[in-house]
Amino acid sequence: MISLTEVRGDIVRLPANAADFEKTPARMGFVVLATDRGIETELPRYFPDGFSFHVSRVSPYFELSEAEALAAIRSAASLLLPGAHLSAIGYGCSSGGFLLNEASIVEALTAGRPETPAVTVKRAIIDALQTARIETISLLTPYDHALTETVVRGFAEAGISIAKAGFLDLASDDEIAGLSPERIAQCAISLDSSRSEATVILCNALQAAGAIGKIAETTAKPVFSSTGTLVAKCINLISCQHPHHR
């Protein structure tokens, strides 16, 4: 091993002053499933300038008991930029937000990252629909029939009716992330109804960003995707705390 005394030349400490550092962006953290390969491709498509995102992985909730799943969420949240400021945190698993207790998810997130505003996809979408005064939607999921029914009930409990729901019954997150935006658009458009006021595309693994424009153009109605709506809600949480980020 070479010691410092054997290296020719001086080793000097160089100063770095406050003015030498770039302005800190508003940082969003997301706890996402270990099996989800789609969300990190989707996230950059929804981010405006001045924001950055950071991801921590967690074991799928359906492999764990509810207590274990919440403990895993807390642990994953604690690994999001430890020691650095985080502006908001989101639980990036749509179905988990409907199956696990929502308040407990938020509590787990904030336990892992104290004093950081936190939100689920379920809350983000319901808040967005209620803000827009939308009461009836068309719903597309990649889930099976039973899980889609659970989601429908969750919307109903929030006062949101489903005009028509469709499910793709895909077997894995890998399949979900591989579904083309063209097929997503075709499926969502086929679910449009005269009763529906908007389309909701649920699941963070779906590559929905590339489908939204076609769906909105064809149906002439707003489209809410899991990842896009979660990002928008996180930005709103940050703006409420720091108005200069509006």
Side-chain angles (χ1 to χ4, degrees), residues 44 80 99 123 135 143 180 189:
L80 282 163
L99 284 171
R123 177 51 44 200
E135 297 179 349
Y143 312 136
S180 71
I189 291 167

Side-chain angles (χ1 to χ4, degrees), residues 14 33 38 52 55 57 79 101 114 116 135 146 163 167 182 192 197 199-200 224 238:
L14 300 175
L33 297 191
S52 66
V55 169
R57 298 277 178 173
L79 296 176
N101 181 275
T116 303
E135 297 179 349
F167 65 98
E182 291 76 19
D192 187 37
E197 301 169 82
T199 300
V200 171
F224 299 85
I238 294 168

Side-chain angles (χ1 to χ4, degrees), residues 102-132:
E102 183 183 355
S104 296
I105 295 173
V106 172
E107 183 179 338
L109 293 171
T110 53
R113 283 299 312 229
E115 301 182 5
T116 303
V119 70
T120 66
V121 173
K122 177 183 177 182
R123 177 51 44 200
I125 290 181
I126 288 172
D127 283 357
L129 293 172
Q130 291 177 339
T131 297

Side-chain angles (χ1 to χ4, degrees), residues 154-231:
F155 278 119
E157 289 168 0
I160 307 228
S161 300
I162 309 297
K164 195 172 184 180
F167 65 98
L168 287 156
D169 200 16
L170 299 180
S172 68
D173 280 346
D174 190 59
E175 279 193 358
I176 293 170
L179 191 69
S180 71
E182 291 76 19
R183 183 55 183 157
I184 293 170
Q186 289 169 358
C187 291
I189 291 167
S190 75
L191 297 172
D192 187 37
S193 161
S194 60
R195 293 178 50 231
S196 174
E197 301 169 82
T199 300
V200 171
I201 305 171
L202 201 70
C203 186
N204 295 88
L206 280 173
Q207 302 293 292
I212 289 174
K214 179 65 174 177
I215 300 166
E217 178 184 4
T218 304
T219 65
K221 298 170 184 176
V223 182
F224 299 85
S225 71
S226 287
T227 301
T229 310
L230 181 61
V231 169

